[in-house]
């Protein structure tokens, strides 16, 4: 295969090249992170004190800007006193990859430092349960409504104007109202996820349903199929693979709304964990928690893609 085939228009790359590029999509950001973290000449605007010397307000491990450090060194050298010593460092909000990896491991193996804190896995468990309930409730209502709106003009005209209006209303705006009605437990979080995904689900699924090949309906009607038969034997089997793919995409939106939902009087969940760790400047834990969300998200999507290929084997040729 020639080198130009890397950029062939609307032509898939070979499996080896796709795998290579997929790995590079993670490898390039990781490489940049390592360069910024481990190569002092690139970007290390701070100095980490290793020996405070004669500076009374310096201490081991203290971090300060380079200009302040060099100013103190110059002053003490002029006075003939012991200057401080330090090593180049990045700000505390940008930990090195190995520090995040350690935090990732210790978050699951060591108890929280404070009594009111939760383990990372406990916070993740709380968030996953909220996501699951919010998205399932949204899908149970949005899926049939979307199919009906995409199949029958009656349901489309009856529901879509209001749904189009409501989807522009930001879900976080309903936070205070959800707390007033549902209390301060998990229910308002679930409600925010429902509001954030339900109206999008209805429109997306209605549009997907409308894309069903009309020749299938015409052939079924020619053979004498009636309304319910068309719906359950032609429309739903014909669009289910595409609806399944829509739900995979919409599940990602649910994670986005989770972060917003857990800002509302939260005392549990992954957002609460991130907020607590940021408050005490444990930014390695913050990065570990954010990456955990990404790992869970992509693992869930890969599992659903695998499940979809087995539930709908006739769609294996389609792009997942």
């Amino acid at each position: 295969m020639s080198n130009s085939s890397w950029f062939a228009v609307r032509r898939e790359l070979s499996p080896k090249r796709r795998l290579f590029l997929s790995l590079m999509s993670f490898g390039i950001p990781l490489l940049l992170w390592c360069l910024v973290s481990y190569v002092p000449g690139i970007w290390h605007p701070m100095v980490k004190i290793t020996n405070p010397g004669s500076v009374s307000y310096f201490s081991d491990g203290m971090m300060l800007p380079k200009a302040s450090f060099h100013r103190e060194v110059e002053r003490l050298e002029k006075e003939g006193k012991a200057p401080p010593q330090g090593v180049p460092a990045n700000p505390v909000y940008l930990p090195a990859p190995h520090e995040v990896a350690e935090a990732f491991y210790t978050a699951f193996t060591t108890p929280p430092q404070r009594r009111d804190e939760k383990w990372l896995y406990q916070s993740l468990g709380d968030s996953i349960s909220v996501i699951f309930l919010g998205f399932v409730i949204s899908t149970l209502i949005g899926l049939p409504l979307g199919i009906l709106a995409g199949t029958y003009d009656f349901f489309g005209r009856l529901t879509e104007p209001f749904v189009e209006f409501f989807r522009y209303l930001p879900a976080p705006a309903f936070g205070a109202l959800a707390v007033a009605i549902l209390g301060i437990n998990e229910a308002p979080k679930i409600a925010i996820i429902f509001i954030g995904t339900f109206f999008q689900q209805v429109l997306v699924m209605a549009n997907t349903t409308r894309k069903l090949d009309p020749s299938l309906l015409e052939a079924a009607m020619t053979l004498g199929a009636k309304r319910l038969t068309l719906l359950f034997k032609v429309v739903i089997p014909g669009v289910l693979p595409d609806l399944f793919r829509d739900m995979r995409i919409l599940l990602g939106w649910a994670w986005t709304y989770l972060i917003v939902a857990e800002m509302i009087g939260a005392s549990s969940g992954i957002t609460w964990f991130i907020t607590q760790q940021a408050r005490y400047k444990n930014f390695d834990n913050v990065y570990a928690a954010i990456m955990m969300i990404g790992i869970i998200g992509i693992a869930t999507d890969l599992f659903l893609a695998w499940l979809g290929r087995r539930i709908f084997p006739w769609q294996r040729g389609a792009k997942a």
Side-chain angles (χ1 to χ4, degrees):
M1 188 177 290
S2 65
N3 290 332
S4 61
S5 62
W6 283 91
F7 305 100
V9 177
R10 304 196 69 175
R11 184 181 299 172
E12 284 196 350
L13 297 170
S14 66
K16 287 185 178 179
R17 290 185 174 184
R18 290 205 300 269
L19 176 61
F20 172 74
L21 292 176
S22 298
L23 294 176
M24 289 301 293
S25 70
F26 286 93
I28 291 175
L30 181 60
L31 176 62
L32 293 175
W33 187 13
C34 290
L35 289 174
V36 170
S37 299
Y38 299 127
V39 181
I42 293 182
W43 189 65
H44 279 65
M46 310 292 288
V47 173
K48 185 176 183 179
I49 301 299
T50 57
N51 183 351
S54 299
V55 184
S56 59
Y57 62 92
F58 279 7
S59 59
D60 287 343
M62 178 182 177
M63 295 177 64
L64 71 163
K66 277 184 176 178
S68 301
F69 175 78
H70 291 305
R71 189 165 51 246
E72 289 297 326
V73 170
E74 185 178 355
R75 180 180 67 82
L76 290 173
E77 286 178 346
K78 288 181 179 178
E79 295 176 357
K81 297 180 180 178
Q85 297 178 1
V87 294
N90 281 333
V92 66
Y93 58 77
L94 185 62
H98 76 277
E99 294 174 325
V100 175
E102 289 175 1
F104 201 91
Y105 174 74
T106 55
F108 287 95
T109 56
T110 56
Q113 297 178 358
R114 296 167 184 83
R115 186 180 302 174
D116 61 339
E117 292 180 353
K118 286 189 174 184
W119 291 65
L120 178 56
Y121 73 84
Q122 291 176 318
S123 298
L124 280 172
D126 293 340
S127 296
I128 290 172
S129 65
V130 169
I131 284 275
F132 178 78
L133 290 173
F135 192 72
V136 165
I137 294 172
S138 172
T139 302
L140 288 177
I141 304 174
L143 178 61
L145 190 57
I147 293 175
L148 289 175
T151 305
Y152 302 106
D153 194 42
F154 170 82
F155 289 104
R157 298 289 179 183
L158 183 64
T159 59
E160 288 188 80
F162 177 75
V163 172
E164 285 277 9
F165 160 76
F166 209 96
R167 77 185 180 100
Y168 285 103
L169 305 183
F174 294 90
L177 189 60
V179 171
I181 297 173
L182 301 171
I184 58 173
N185 296 317
E186 304 298 319
K189 303 177 192 175
I190 297 171
I192 294 299
I193 293 173
F194 175 84
I195 294 171
T197 56
F198 170 73
F199 299 98
Q200 312 292 343
Q201 270 189 327
V202 173
L203 293 177
V204 170
M205 292 179 179
N207 286 330
T208 298
T209 304
R210 291 192 182 99
K211 292 178 182 176
L212 179 69
D213 188 351
S215 62
L216 295 175
L217 293 172
E218 293 169 1
M221 286 188 288
T222 302
L223 295 173
K226 303 300 181 184
R227 292 175 183 172
L228 290 180
T229 302
L230 286 173
L231 178 63
F232 288 102
K233 300 292 186 181
V234 180
V235 175
I236 293 179
V239 298
L240 266 183
D242 292 330
L243 294 180
F244 188 80
R245 188 172 60 244
D246 289 343
M247 284 192 286
R248 285 173 48 200
I249 297 172
L250 290 163
L251 183 58
W253 292 8
W255 274 100
T256 303
Y257 283 107
L258 172 73
I259 302 302
V260 176
E262 289 187 337
M263 292 287 186
I264 304 169
S267 59
S268 63
I270 192 65
T271 307
W272 181 83
F273 178 86
I274 291 173
T275 304
Q276 289 292 101
Q277 297 302 315
R279 178 179 302 171
Y280 298 113
K281 297 186 177 180
N282 298 326
F283 290 101
D284 48 354
N285 288 337
V286 172
Y287 279 82
I290 293 172
M291 289 185 178
M292 179 55 72
I293 294 175
I295 291 171
I296 291 176
I298 196 168
T300 304
D301 190 68
L302 290 174
F303 171 74
L304 292 176
W306 172 84
L307 187 64
R309 288 194 293 271
R310 275 145 185 81
I311 297 175
F312 313 110
W314 62 91
Q315 289 288 315
R316 285 180 182 177
K319 188 175 179 62

